[in-house]
Amino acid sequence: MGFALICFISGLIGGLVLAPADYQQGDSFRIIYIHVPAAWMSLFIYTFMAINAAILLIWRVKISEIIIRSSAILGASFTFLALATGSIWGKPMWGTWWVWDARLTSELILLFLYLGFIALQSAFEDRRIAAKTGAVLVLVGVVNIPIIKYSVEWWSTLHQPASISKLDAPSIHIDMLIPLLLMAIACKAYFFSVMLIRCRREILAYESNTAWVKETLIRNGDHT
Amino acid sequence: MTSLSMFITILKCDMLLAYRNRHDLINPLVFFIIVMVLFPLALGTDSALLQNINVGVIWVTALLASTLSLDSIFRSDFEDGTVEQYTLANQSLILIVLAKITSHWLSFGLPLIIIACSIAAFLSINIHVISTLFITLLIGTPILSLIGSVAVALTIGLRGGMLLSLLILPLYMPVLIFSMLAVNHASENLSVEAELYFLTGILVLALTLAPLATAASLRIRLS
Amino acid sequence: MIEWLAMGGYGKFVWPAYAIWLVVIVYNYVSAKADEKKYKHELIKRLRLK
């Protein structure tokens, strides 16, 4: 968490203070430093969950169950952030909060996939069955994501051509790129540290009847 | 018992059950027609507007009706323990699942296609568009049954059909997109081949992977 | 400073975006921490009662 914090702060200073304003979009482009890392994270976390789902279903590694369950809410948060900041960015750029642009739409569908997973998790009493059914759902989703992405892209290019090309920055100035990368690293570090906190709690719940949990708790309980 | 005869036996049994419980079979279809009626009531009888949206309405309604009907694929089998027997059977569970999906499509998808196309004709949609609608439904509804079966297997025995629709509808979106693109192209007299190829591709993919995933989730649910 | 806050006229878009982002990020961290702590206390209580 300390590492994430350092990267966040340096990334934010670099992005908000040091980086020059974009010649087309002025200072509004500074939303990129939270929008793009959030969008990257939303995909990264889903892939991460899918890999763990495969590990869980093939090798039945118990820790993967816990990781999947702990990651989902963070993935949903980042997806929500990507959408929210994207739409706030869109207001001055496009003039409206929402356009049916390919990337926004597929990001929205990704949010639905996350929400479906979370809903499925809360529907079960038994954590282990919940995690395994969730794993199947994530794998089905991961097969679908490329199809969804491709179909949505096709659909939106036919419906409204290239209104988003302003966002496509093919070459990005180095002073803008460094803070962006810092923020991306920070988001990754943040995700892993929060996920591990959630994992700790889940492991305690899984193992609440074992001797080591008792010992650890009593030992920690004494000096807190 | 060979795999094929097992497949046919289950299919026959399910079709017979569907025929005996005709009222269950008719419900989603009545739902389909009712929703179709809601749109003119809500939007007024402006025929130009309705003309523009009615094929889209047909497809969206088909998606909704399919989520409602899917619940019945495994429900009764799960409740009376038949699913458990399937997993114990000396046959591939994937094949059994495929038989269940096929029977669902025969008892739901096929009547839906007929009704949708007759409604389309009733709404005086151009015949070229209707034929495209027919083809997209013919390729699309099996995909709906296949994808849906996975979600049903995951949520079986849980309360609330809301969860099921929440899981299924995002996965249905590509089918909807390609079908509607094809229909829109047809109404502008453009080629629809590309979209139909894509739909068929999705169908093949779903046909290979969905029974696998359904079988896996049934096993998980029973473990 | 004021000029920087104005963000060339885009301040009213940039800062809310950052605010939402900060709220979600902090909330996720704090809720995870709090949840863990609460659960630990619960467990300790349960184990002592036995």
Side-chain angles (χ1 to χ4, degrees):
Chain A
M1 197 62 210
F3 177 66
L5 208 60
I6 293 169
C7 289
F8 268 140
I9 291 171
S10 52
L12 284 178
I13 291 174
L16 288 175
V17 185
L18 301 178
D22 187 72
Y23 75 99
Q24 253 186 343
Q25 305 193 0
D27 280 318
S28 76
F29 93 100
R30 291 183 199 280
I31 295 179
I32 202 174
Y33 297 112
I34 48 178
H35 173 70
V36 170
W40 282 343
M41 286 312 289
S42 65
L43 284 174
F44 170 79
I45 295 175
Y46 206 88
T47 322
F48 181 72
M49 282 166 68
I51 292 170
N52 274 292
I55 292 175
L56 169 62
L57 291 180
I58 296 170
W59 292 290
R60 297 173 196 272
V61 178
K62 212 166 158 195
I63 191 78
S64 287
E65 282 175 25
I66 299 167
I67 290 177
I68 303 176
R69 283 171 61 84
S70 312
S71 306
I73 187 95
L74 287 163
S77 306
F78 275 116
T79 317
F80 167 75
L81 279 176
L83 281 171
T85 55
S87 111
I88 293 176
W89 194 3
K91 180 69 182 162
M93 290 300 108
W94 304 319
T96 58
W97 297 108
W98 183 263
V99 288
W100 289 103
D101 148 56
R103 268 184 278 181
L104 278 176
T105 311
S106 41
E107 193 75 8
L108 185 64
I109 298 177
L110 184 64
L111 181 64
F112 293 149
L113 291 180
Y114 274 120
L115 293 181
F117 177 87
I118 294 170
L120 186 66
Q121 292 303 296
S122 55
F124 285 100
E125 303 248 319
D126 183 326
R127 300 161 191 283
R128 310 212 53 181
I129 291 182
K132 278 187 188 155
T133 50
V136 174
L137 183 67
V138 172
L139 286 181
V140 172
V142 102
V143 173
N144 259 278
I145 282 178
I147 300 176
I148 291 173
K149 194 154 172 50
Y150 197 76
S151 64
V152 168
E153 244 159 49
W154 197 347
W155 160 79
S156 83
T157 46
L158 286 176
H159 278 243
Q160 42 123 11
S163 70
I164 46 132
S165 54
K166 272 189 281 184
L167 275 185
D168 288 317
S171 59
I172 184 167
H173 191 271
I174 191 75
D175 285 348
M176 299 180 181
L177 187 63
I178 290 173
L180 188 59
L181 291 180
L182 273 175
M183 288 300 285
I185 294 169
C187 281
K188 282 221 168 65
Y190 167 84
F191 161 66
F192 279 109
S193 61
V194 175
M195 185 202 74
L196 289 175
I197 296 172
R198 299 184 70 92
C199 281
R200 272 209 304 257
R201 184 238 183 267
E202 285 279 317
I203 291 173
L204 281 181
Y206 267 80
E207 312 278 323
S208 58
N209 291 323
T210 58
W212 70 261
V213 169
K214 270 181 210 172
E215 278 166 27
T216 327
L217 279 181
I218 303 286
R219 210 184 317 131
N220 288 346
D222 282 342
H223 57 76
T224 46
Chain B
M1 207 180 225
T2 66
S3 306
L4 189 66
S5 65
M6 180 85 172
F7 183 86
I8 293 170
T9 311
I10 292 177
L11 195 62
K12 264 189 190 159
C13 168
D14 268 21
M15 291 315 293
L16 190 63
L17 275 174
Y19 180 70
R20 294 271 157 80
N21 295 319
R22 269 158 298 193
H23 55 278
D24 280 351
L25 220 150
I26 288 167
N27 288 347
L29 302 175
V30 176
F31 170 82
F32 184 87
I33 299 172
I34 291 178
V35 176
M36 287 299 302
V37 174
L38 291 182
F39 277 87
L41 291 181
L43 301 172
T45 46
D46 177 4
S47 57
L49 175 67
L50 289 177
Q51 200 75 34
N52 275 335
I53 62 166
N54 50 25
V55 183
V57 169
I58 289 177
W59 247 103
V60 170
T61 315
L63 291 190
L64 295 178
S66 118
T67 59
L68 288 181
S69 76
L70 274 166
D71 198 38
S72 62
I73 290 194
F74 297 117
R75 160 78 71 77
S76 63
D77 280 357
F78 187 76
E79 280 168 356
D80 64 15
T82 315
V83 172
E84 212 155 330
Q85 296 304 314
Y86 287 151
T87 60
L88 297 174
N90 191 16
Q91 297 286 346
S92 149
L93 182 58
I94 298 172
L95 208 68
I96 297 175
V97 163
L98 198 59
K100 302 292 290 184
I101 297 170
T102 314
S103 75
H104 174 260
W105 182 72
L106 286 175
S107 61
F108 165 75
L110 218 49
L112 183 121
I113 294 175
I114 296 165
I115 288 199
C117 288
S118 38
I119 287 181
F122 196 62
L123 295 171
S124 63
I125 297 172
N126 160 356
I127 185 74
H128 182 49
V129 177
I130 295 183
S131 64
T132 316
L133 175 70
F134 174 74
I135 297 172
T136 58
L137 281 170
L138 199 62
I139 309 174
T141 44
I143 307 178
L144 301 186
S145 297
L146 283 161
I147 298 178
S149 74
V150 184
V152 171
L154 289 174
T155 58
I156 197 165
L158 297 174
R159 285 165 270 108
M162 212 51 152
L163 180 64
L164 184 65
S165 358
L166 201 67
L167 297 184
I168 293 180
L169 287 176
L171 302 176
Y172 278 177
M173 286 174 190
V175 182
L176 177 67
I177 290 173
F178 283 122
S179 305
M180 283 315 296
L181 282 178
V183 171
N184 288 340
H185 279 184
S187 66
E188 292 161 14
N189 279 321
L190 297 169
S191 152
V192 296
E193 270 177 24
E195 284 80 13
L196 293 185
Y197 280 139
F198 260 99
L199 270 181
T200 318
I202 298 176
L203 175 62
V204 171
L205 193 69
L207 200 57
T208 39
L209 294 182
L212 202 77
T214 311
S217 19
L218 280 180
R219 278 192 204 284
I220 289 168
R221 288 307 313 279
L222 289 170
S223 65
Chain C
M1 186 71 188
I2 303 239
E3 204 178 299
W4 178 68
L5 282 178
M7 282 283 160
Y10 290 118
K12 64 175 188 268
F13 297 111
V14 173
W15 296 118
Y18 274 85
I20 293 176
W21 179 81
L22 197 68
V23 166
V24 174
I25 292 282
V26 171
Y27 172 78
N28 263 323
Y29 179 72
V30 171
S31 74
K33 270 282 186 201
D35 197 32
E36 192 198 5
K37 207 170 175 186
K38 201 177 116 201
Y39 189 72
K40 268 187 186 164
H41 279 296
E42 237 170 66
L43 267 186
I44 289 174
K45 220 188 260 171
R46 212 198 304 165
L47 295 175
R48 292 242 165 90
L49 282 177
K50 271 182 190 171

